[in-house]
Amino acid sequence: MERPRWPTTLAVVTGLTAIYVAAGKLALRVAFLNPSASAVWPPTGIALASLLLIGFRAWPAVLIGAFLVNLTTAGNVATSLGIAAGNTLEAIAGAWLTRRFASGRDAFERPQDFQRFLVLAGFVSTAVSPTLGVTSLCLGGFTRWSDYGTVWLTWWLGDVGGALIVAPPLILWGSRPRPGWSRLQAVELGAVLLSLCLVGEIEFMGYLLPGFSRYPLTFLCIIPLLWAAFRFGPRETAAAGLVLLIIASWGTLRSRGPYGGFAPNASLLLLQAFMVVTVIVAMRLAAGVAERRRAHEALRLQAAELERSNAELEQFAHVASHDLQEPLRTVTNFVQLLAQRYRGRLDRDADDFIGYVVDGTTRMAQLIDDLLEFSRAGRTDRPMEPTDCRGVLEKALANLAVSIRESGAVVRHDGLPTVRGDPSQLTQLFQNLIGNAVKFRGPDRAEVQISAVRRSGEWLFLVRDNGIGIAPEYRERIFVIFQRLHGRNEYPGTGIGLAICKRIVTRHGGRIWVESQPGRGSTFCFTLPVAETPGAGASGVRLTGP
Ligand code: ADP
């Protein structure tokens, strides 16, 4: 059974009324211009925070509190009611607008929300109370209509300060459990607080360094606030702003500091304007930093998740292709046996069908081999070591000896360097690129040239051919797995070779791309890291592009 809420509400309203009255009476002690209008008005912040934290049911506390404060200060029942109504409506409007347009109590976590809070709860809704309040006082004969403007401004600025400097720390510290700081962070926060108190003391009180307080050094106050914003968050920044307001008000009211020398109300108004601007800047920054930190964390989690799912997929591809090899081998063996034993003994159709199966299984075996190679190319457990590219190239050429000989291709190379890499993967890389250069040859005899140049901390390799070339629009696509530009009847292949190359180069921290024009050959370019031990050979040419 749900317990009735009214006893809790009653207790909350009573407690809140008491706090409101105490804060209001304290603030009205510095109401110099008019007994009912103070340039410092924390009750606005208390009311706004209460309505956002507790809900709209807290409004009677604001109404009763404001009524009591004013009835015991100046005016009569009617003016006190008018003022109290203004204070209450202002708090309701501020809380409603903040909830509707600025994410409620989360208004300080994102710059956009904070900006909306700033305008709506900070500057717009705070006009309600001075308008109703000063009008009530004028109507009741407690203030002259000619003073309307100055009293209104004092009242409004007091409320703005309450909404922007007092409400945020109350909302932020009241809405969630206390943040967990590490010991180091707690020490740093202590240092922020200490520097804030020091700057505040020196600038607004001047007991420590009496000569300094008259100099216009108030801009120094922004430093500890920005420190809190950058290193902590909106909660700590808001609290720092409130601490600074207390120190600065205390000093200014004792005619100390840069604003202490003016008439009492003017000095408080100046201080309030300074504080509001300073705190707005710090809070806006804190919201930006908090948002960035959250985005960074989300990205980090996403990257970790991506890495995990990638590894899973890779594992799956590896296991699947590995396990497929075995049954495929059986099928291939038996179908080849069938072909050997029964070719010509069955009818023509049967011979054709067996031929298709042999063809299909051979292709499938090639595909599985390539897929396995692709999944291996992404594995990072093989060590990187200084690798002489001449040895790697020789191995690749030996593996390609048959196709090179059959096609009559000519492969030349300049001196090649020693790089930091995985020898077997680099062999595969050269093999795939040279193999393609030979395979995709044009009408002329294939000529392949391999060279390397040192370029800003890495080696740039070029594998140039005089083959059929590639249209510019396909330059990216060809590195994607299974992407081929020709049918199998034109050129055999699985469309995995360049995807493997890309994986290998990426794993080595390099980049791979192609420069080509149809019919004018292709140059495959890739970069590899320089080995720590100085490499041998290679041309000393230095390039600047691409
Ligand atoms: P495959 O060689 O099995 O088709 P690759 O991934 O190695 O797969 O290459 C993808 C596509 O890129 C090829 O189908 C071909 O169209 C194009 N290609 C690759 N290398 C060259 C080259 N040296 N010259 C022209 N086209 C090439």
Side-chain angles (χ1 to χ4, degrees):
M1 202 179 77
E2 206 177 298
R3 282 173 40 204
R5 270 168 53 149
W6 68 264
T8 339
T9 307
L10 194 68
V12 167
V13 167
T14 314
L16 206 58
T17 308
I19 295 171
Y20 192 97
V21 171
K25 292 303 285 180
L26 199 72
L28 285 182
R29 282 171 66 182
V30 296
F32 302 115
L33 187 70
N34 181 294
S36 305
S38 169
V40 179
W41 192 245
T44 290
I46 296 171
L48 181 60
S50 309
L51 262 60
L52 279 171
L53 289 174
I54 301 165
F56 288 110
R57 67 193 163 115
W59 71 264
V62 182
L63 187 75
I64 301 167
F67 178 72
L68 291 178
V69 169
N70 284 284
L71 194 66
T72 52
T73 305
N76 54 30
V77 174
T79 56
S80 300
L81 264 180
I83 294 171
N87 284 355
T88 314
L89 282 177
E90 171 177 291
I92 291 174
W96 187 84
L97 289 170
T98 307
R99 279 194 180 176
R100 179 79 179 74
F101 299 106
S103 304
R105 30 173 114 160
D106 293 329
F108 313 99
E109 304 295 333
R110 296 190 324 142
Q112 301 92 310
D113 285 335
F114 176 68
Q115 273 147 220
R116 287 191 203 121
F117 172 83
L118 179 69
V119 174
L120 298 174
F123 296 126
V124 175
S125 63
T126 42
V128 174
S129 176
T131 307
L132 278 180
V134 183
T135 308
S136 302
L137 286 175
C138 288
L139 286 175
F142 294 96
T143 301
R144 278 181 308 200
W145 287 102
S146 56
D147 291 337
Y148 193 99
T150 37
V151 178
W152 190 95
L153 190 70
T154 303
W155 194 311
W156 179 68
L157 216 58
D159 284 13
V160 170
L164 293 180
I165 308 176
V166 178
L170 295 181
I171 296 167
L172 283 161
W173 288 86
S175 57
R176 284 191 202 119
R178 233 192 63 181
W181 299 305
S182 69
R183 211 190 321 206
L184 214 67
Q185 281 177 313
V187 171
E188 187 179 344
L189 197 61
V192 172
L193 204 66
L194 188 71
S195 67
L196 187 76
C197 292
L198 264 178
V199 171
E201 203 289 332
I202 291 170
E203 192 46 31
F204 292 103
M205 294 189 182
Y207 294 107
L208 278 179
L209 299 169
F212 271 84
S213 65
R214 293 282 163 192
Y215 293 124
L217 293 173
T218 43
F219 60 85
L220 289 178
C221 298
I222 196 78
I223 295 171
L225 289 180
L226 294 192
W227 186 358
F230 273 119
R231 299 280 301 160
F232 293 90
R235 191 189 299 245
E236 290 81 355
T237 312
L242 185 59
V243 170
L244 187 66
L245 177 71
I246 293 168
I247 297 173
S249 307
W250 199 91
T252 305
L253 284 170
R254 274 155 192 75
S255 305
R256 306 184 77 92
Y259 304 119
F262 300 91
N265 195 59
S267 65
L268 276 186
L269 282 182
L270 285 171
L271 172 70
Q272 198 74 341
F274 164 77
M275 281 303 307
V276 165
V277 172
T278 310
V279 167
I280 287 174
V281 170
M283 289 296 291
R284 167 65 179 75
L285 206 86
V289 172
E291 187 177 51
R292 237 183 100 152
R293 205 174 284 153
R294 277 196 309 278
H296 192 267
E297 181 58 17
L299 255 166
R300 196 188 61 78
L301 288 176
Q302 227 169 35
E305 177 54 24
L306 214 67
E307 203 169 301
R308 192 198 57 75
S309 78
N310 228 0
E312 222 171 73
L313 209 68
E314 209 153 90
Q315 178 75 2
F316 169 78
H318 187 77
V319 170
S321 24
H322 198 267
D323 288 0
L324 278 174
Q325 271 183 329
E326 184 56 37
L328 184 65
R329 212 169 284 138
T330 313
V331 174
T332 312
N333 289 344
F334 279 102
V335 108
Q336 277 169 354
L337 214 63
L338 214 64
Q340 280 166 20
R341 285 204 194 161
Y342 295 97
R343 180 165 292 133
R345 293 173 63 182
L346 305 167
D347 61 15
R348 283 266 308 268
D349 280 356
D351 281 352
D352 285 349
F353 296 159
I354 292 172
Y356 295 145
V357 178
V358 172
D359 204 37
T361 50
T362 313
R363 264 201 345 256
M364 197 160 172
Q366 183 62 52
L367 194 68
I368 287 175
D369 279 352
D370 285 357
L371 267 176
L372 261 176
E373 205 49 59
F374 179 73
S375 74
R376 275 191 212 117
R379 297 190 152 192
T380 50
D381 46 1
R382 280 187 290 204
M384 298 279 189
E385 55 193 61
T387 306
D388 181 359
C389 288
R390 283 173 305 187
V392 158
L393 181 67
E394 272 163 29
K395 222 171 178 175
L397 291 177
N399 293 344
L400 291 167
V402 176
S403 62
I404 291 176
R405 201 179 43 245
E406 281 177 1
S407 64
V410 178
V411 182
R412 296 192 193 90
H413 64 89
D414 300 345
L416 293 179
T418 296
V419 297
R420 189 173 158 67
D422 173 341
S424 68
Q425 285 202 331
L426 294 183
T427 307
Q428 176 90 47
L429 174 65
F430 279 109
Q431 191 174 319
N432 287 3
L433 292 178
I434 299 167
N436 276 351
V438 173
K439 180 165 64 173
F440 296 104
R441 61 184 174 273
D444 302 334
R445 186 181 65 165
E447 289 186 14
V448 190
Q449 174 75 35
I450 299 132
S451 55
V453 286
R454 180 113 182 223
R455 201 183 66 158
S456 51
E458 58 187 7
W459 285 103
L460 170 68
F461 286 79
L462 308 168
V463 178
R464 183 173 294 138
D465 66 46
N466 60 341
I468 58 172
I470 298 161
E473 63 266 33
Y474 299 125
R475 281 183 200 160
E476 305 276 331
R477 212 172 97 180
I478 54 169
F479 292 99
V480 177
I481 192 165
F482 300 133
Q483 294 293 333
R484 310 195 70 231
L485 306 182
H486 309 277
R488 255 200 329 274
N489 297 336
E490 276 181 281
Y491 296 96
T494 56
I496 301 178
L498 288 181
I500 294 177
C501 292
K502 183 164 185 176
R503 271 199 148 187
I504 292 174
V505 173
T506 307
R507 201 202 138 201
H508 283 74
R511 303 174 310 286
I512 184 166
W513 68 96
V514 67
E515 287 166 5
S516 180
Q517 285 296 331
R520 299 173 70 180
S522 313
T523 302
F524 280 85
C525 316
F526 61 91
T527 60
L528 288 176
V530 172
E532 278 103 46
T533 47
S539 65
V541 187
R542 280 170 195 273
L543 287 188
T544 46

